[in-house]
Amino acid sequence: MSAKKTFIVEHLDPELGPWSELEYIAIAKESQATNTAFILSSLPDGFRVPTALQDVEAFTAEKRGVEELYAGKKEKVCLLDPAAAKDLCPEDGDAFEAFLFGGILGDDPPRDRTSELRKKGFEGRRLGPKQMTTDTAVRVTRMVVQDKIALDKVPYTDFPELKFSQHESTEMPFRYVADKDGNPIMPEGMKELIQKDADKALDDLF
Ligand code: SAM
């Protein structure tokens, strides 16, 4: 059996926004459920770790960055990088101990902030051509390296439309994993947060 895997999200924003918070909680709970570890690294001084994260045994908050954490064993870390030349494959689960992600909110068009981690020289792998949210990228990586599902066999839903009512909907500009009904898998509370943000944007117009 291969060693316990670690999923590292290097937090690249100065603070913790509500979207990232929900994403990190989802990653922590899935890490706990799959007997893997989740490290949120490079946390600035004064970073408030939400109780919902602290309560998860599989979760570690870390002030040090990934370079320091993996000093001397850089080759064991795989950076999930939308600009990498090679796609992730199930065998990568045997080659790497840790999988590294940018703790960045998705943006449209993508600003390539993953380059901040690319510069550090970790071996990179792509998860296909479409931008995913950070929790989706971690979910897909688990499916490939732990469940050994080929990247192109993962069920996806691209740019799903979230319907809030008959007249209100939002299209999400990302790729998600689809559940058995074809709906995007999202962190708990995310749909409500997106609706709240959409309502606020509308209110601000008037
Ligand atoms: N727009 C972003 C950027 O500036 O790079 C992408 C950020 S994405 C929301 C957050 C993280 O998920 C990325 O840093 C990367 O680790 C991972 N990720 C998302 N989509 C990916 C893909 N198609 N291939 C590889 N990694 C991906």
Side-chain angles (χ1 to χ4, degrees), residues 132-153:
M132 300 173 182
T133 60
T134 308
D135 63 298
T136 304
V138 177
R139 191 168 297 118
V140 171
T141 301
R142 281 186 208 288
M143 293 171 83
V144 176
V145 301
Q146 292 197 281
D147 305 337
K148 307 287 182 199
I149 300 174
L151 195 59
D152 61 356
K153 296 286 179 283

Side-chain angles (χ1 to χ4, degrees), residues 12 23 79-84 87 100-115 117-118 125-138 141 174-175:
L12 296 173
E23 290 187 359
L79 169 66
L80 282 302
D81 180 358
D87 276 346
L100 170 65
F101 305 80
I104 319 159
L105 274 186
D107 42 19
D108 184 29
R111 279 185 296 154
D112 191 25
R113 288 190 54 208
T114 309
S115 59
L117 295 173
R118 190 180 310 135
R125 292 286 185 273
R126 194 182 71 147
L127 295 168
K130 300 213 163 70
Q131 184 180 191
M132 300 173 182
T133 60
T134 308
D135 63 298
T136 304
V138 177
T141 301
F174 309 115
R175 165 171 276 185

Side-chain angles (χ1 to χ4, degrees), residues 66-82:
V66 62
E67 277 178 301
E68 201 181 329
L69 290 172
Y70 278 82
K73 44 179 188 165
K74 208 172 185 175
E75 72 289 350
K76 291 287 168 203
V77 180
C78 171
L79 169 66
L80 282 302
D81 180 358

